Amino acid sequence: MISQADARLISRAISLQAAVSFIPQRTDQGENAPEQHETDDAMTDMTGTLGRLRGPRRRLSMPLLAKGGGALSLAGPLLLALPVLLAAILGFATYAAHGQDAAIGIAIGAAGFVAMALALILAARPRALEPLFGGLDRMYRAHKWLGITALATMVLHDMIDPDFDHAVRETSLGDTAKDIGEFAFNAFLLLIAVSLLRRLPFVPIEIPYQLWRFSHRFMGVLFAIVAFHQFFVDMPAGANPGLAVLLNSFAVAGLAAWIVTEFIAPRLRRRAFTVERIGRHGDTAMVTLLPKGRAMRWRPGQFAFLSAPEAGLGEPHPFTIANAPEPDGRMTLAIRGLGGWTRRLPHALREGMTVRVEGPHGRFDFRKGGARQLWLAGGVGITPFLAWADSLGAEDPHHIHLVYSIRRPEDAIGLEILRAAAARNPRFSFELVATTRDGRLTAGRLVRSAPFPPGTADLWFCGPAGLRRTVLGGLDRVGQNPRRVRFEHFDFA
C-alpha cells in the first residue's frame, strides 16, 4: 500500500528512474548514418512507422502527433494519457482533505509513477500495441515522452512537499519500506550520474558502452525495490483505497514488463540464423543470413534486431532488412561502420557463425502511398528502398523514381537490385548522385531528375535529417511541395 507520508519519496525515486531511462542513449551514428543505433536493447528501435508532413514548414514538433492524420493513430497516446490522468485525479481526490498543496503533490507523484510503469511496459515491445501508435518507432517515442513526463513530475513534486506525518501510524515494516525507498532514491542518483557522465566533459574520456549498459540494467531492480516500498510503507487509516489499488496494479505491471524485457523476451523472440556470406562495398558490409529453423516473415521495408553472441557482440542492434522475403527465408543486412559495435561486427563475423535475429518490426510501406512516388535515400538509408525495389513486380502500378545520394561512387550498394527492378518495371527509375563527383543533391536537381513534378507525388525519405530538411526547404521555395512526406524516425532516445 502507498504511504501518504512517503508519497514524495516514491515519486522522486520513480521519476529519477525515468530520468536515467530517458537520458539520450549512445547512437554512434554519423551525419550520414541513419540506419544503425548503438543503444540499450529495451530502449532502441530503428525504422518503422511513417512520419507524415505536408511540407517543411509543418514539421512535427511532437513525436506523438502527425499532421494530416493517417500515419499515426491517436489511440496509443490516448491509451497512455488516460491512466496517467486517472492517477492524478484519484491522487487529488483522495488527499484533498489534507489540504490543497498535499493533494496536488500526491496527484503529481501518482501521475509520474503511472507514467514510469507505462514506460517500462512499452520498453517490452508488446506487438499488440504497435498498431495503436503507428509502429514501434513511434511507440518508443511515446516511451521517451513518458519518461520526460515522469521527470517533470519529480521536479514539481519536489517543489510541492506533502506532509502527512501527523496522520500516519508507524510500523516496523513501514519503517523498513521507508529505508529501502531512501536506498533506491540514492541509487537512482548514482545511475543518473553514470548516464550523464558517460562522455566526460572537456576530456576525451568516455565510459564504455558495455559498462554503461550493464549499469542501466539495474533500473529494473531498483524499480522492484521501489515497488516494495510502495506496497508496504505506512499510510494513514481511512484513505480511499482506489488510488492504492491503481498504483499497486501498475507497479506489478511495470515489474512484469521489466522481467519480460530482461529474461523472457531474449529467449523467446530471437531466432537463430547462420552467416552465409559477408560482402563489402566501401565502408558498408552486406551480411547475408540463412535461418537455422523456421523462416522469419517480413514485409519489405521492415527491420530486425541483430546480435552475435559467438562474436562477443551480444547486444541487439537494429538494421533494416535490405531484401524482399525469399522462399528460404534468406535475409541481407547492410551494416555501416558508424560506431564501435558496427565497426567490430563485420570483422568479428565468420561464415557459418550463428547469430540471433529478433523481429520483424516497422510499418514503413510504400504500397500505402499514392500512384506517384519519389524515393529519396541518403547513404545507408538506401536499405528499405532496396527491399522495396526487390519486391516490385512487372505489373506494379506505382510510378516511382528513386534518387540515391552517396559520398563516393564506390560507396553505392544494391545497384544490381535497382537495375533489375528498372528492367522488370518500366514505371520504376533511379538516379545515383555521388556528391564528390556530382556535387550536393539539391531540390533543383531532384525536380530535374524526376519524370513527374514532385508536387504531384508522395516523397518517401530515408537518410540524414539534414538532407531531408535541405531538400524539403528547396522544394518549398520552388513551389513543389510533395503531396505527403513520409520518413522513418531514427533517434528514439
Side-chain angles (χ1 to χ4, degrees), residues 158-175:
D158 193 53
M159 297 170 58
I160 305 173
D161 188 4
D163 181 11
F164 297 113
D165 288 342
H166 63 283
V168 174
R169 185 170 65 87
E170 295 184 356
T171 65
S172 58
L173 184 59
D175 289 341

Side-chain angles (χ1 to χ4, degrees), residues 14 28 41 55 69 72 75 78 110 252 255 265-266 274 290 298 310 322 327 377 391 398 445 471 474:
I14 289 296
D28 287 329
D41 180 18
L72 171 62
L78 288 176
V252 172
L255 184 58
T274 299
L290 195 64
W298 70 88
E310 290 185 11
S391 71
H398 296 90
R445 178 163 189 152
V471 170

Side-chain angles (χ1 to χ4, degrees), residues 281-282 284 382 404 406 408-416 432:
H281 299 265
T284 301
I382 188 63
Y404 178 16
I406 53 173
R408 303 171 302 174
E410 56 267 30
D411 293 334
I413 60 174
L415 294 181
E416 66 284 357
L432 180 68

Side-chain angles (χ1 to χ4, degrees), residues 137-158:
D137 61 338
R138 293 188 181 274
M139 193 165 76
Y140 272 131
R141 286 181 168 248
H143 170 89
K144 179 184 76 172
W145 284 97
L146 283 169
I148 293 173
T149 298
L151 178 59
T153 61
M154 176 195 70
V155 176
L156 293 174
H157 191 72
D158 193 53

Side-chain angles (χ1 to χ4, degrees), residues 186-427:
N186 293 324
F188 284 138
L189 288 179
L190 176 62
L191 291 182
I192 286 174
V194 171
S195 295
L196 286 174
L197 298 178
R198 278 197 306 113
R199 186 180 297 276
L200 299 177
F202 310 116
V203 293
I205 299 176
E206 183 176 354
I207 295 176
Y209 170 72
Q210 289 76 11
L211 177 60
W212 176 88
R213 186 173 184 272
F214 175 77
S215 69
H216 202 72
R217 288 186 178 276
F218 284 101
M219 291 299 109
V221 176
L222 294 179
F223 182 81
I225 292 173
V226 175
F228 175 87
H229 172 85
Q230 173 190 304
F231 275 124
F232 297 109
V233 75
D234 294 321
M235 66 178 294
N240 188 317
L243 177 63
V245 171
L246 178 70
L247 297 184
N248 292 340
S249 298
F250 274 98
V252 172
L255 184 58
W258 175 75
I259 292 173
V260 168
T261 299
E262 293 294 330
F263 303 107
I264 299 177
R267 290 168 174 77
L268 296 183
R269 293 179 179 173
R270 296 174 190 171
R271 305 187 188 193
F273 279 71
T274 299
V275 178
E276 183 182 46
R277 184 172 60 255
I278 304 173
R280 295 188 180 278
H281 299 265
D283 59 357
T284 301
M286 302 295 290
V287 180
T288 302
L289 307 175
L290 195 64
K292 298 187 75 170
R294 182 168 55 92
M296 179 182 293
R297 295 183 178 182
W298 70 88
R299 296 188 305 274
Q302 289 191 299
F303 65 94
F305 288 87
L306 172 69
S307 59
E310 290 185 11
L313 298 169
E315 305 97 354
H317 288 64
F319 302 93
T320 299
I321 302 171
N323 64 301
E326 299 185 18
D328 59 2
R330 181 182 281 104
M331 71 167 56
T332 300
L333 304 177
I335 301 173
R336 187 180 181 189
L338 305 173
W341 198 94
T342 50
R343 280 193 292 266
R344 293 195 306 272
L345 181 66
H347 301 286
L349 291 179
R350 297 289 183 270
E351 293 183 2
M353 181 179 287
T354 297
V355 296
R356 301 288 175 180
V357 179
E358 176 189 339
H361 297 282
R363 301 171 67 83
F364 198 52
D365 188 356
F366 80 96
R367 299 184 191 280
K368 297 179 181 179
R372 289 182 174 180
Q373 299 185 16
L374 281 174
W375 296 354
L376 178 56
V380 76
I382 188 63
T383 47
F385 300 118
L386 292 179
W388 288 356
D390 196 26
S391 71
L392 282 175
E395 304 302 322
D396 192 291
H398 296 90
H399 196 181
I400 299 166
H401 182 66
L402 164 68
V403 177
Y404 178 16
S405 176
I406 53 173
R407 196 166 67 87
R408 303 171 302 174
E410 56 267 30
D411 293 334
I413 60 174
L415 294 181
E416 66 284 357
I417 295 176
L418 301 180
R419 295 188 185 107
R424 283 195 310 272
N425 191 321
R427 290 168 295 280

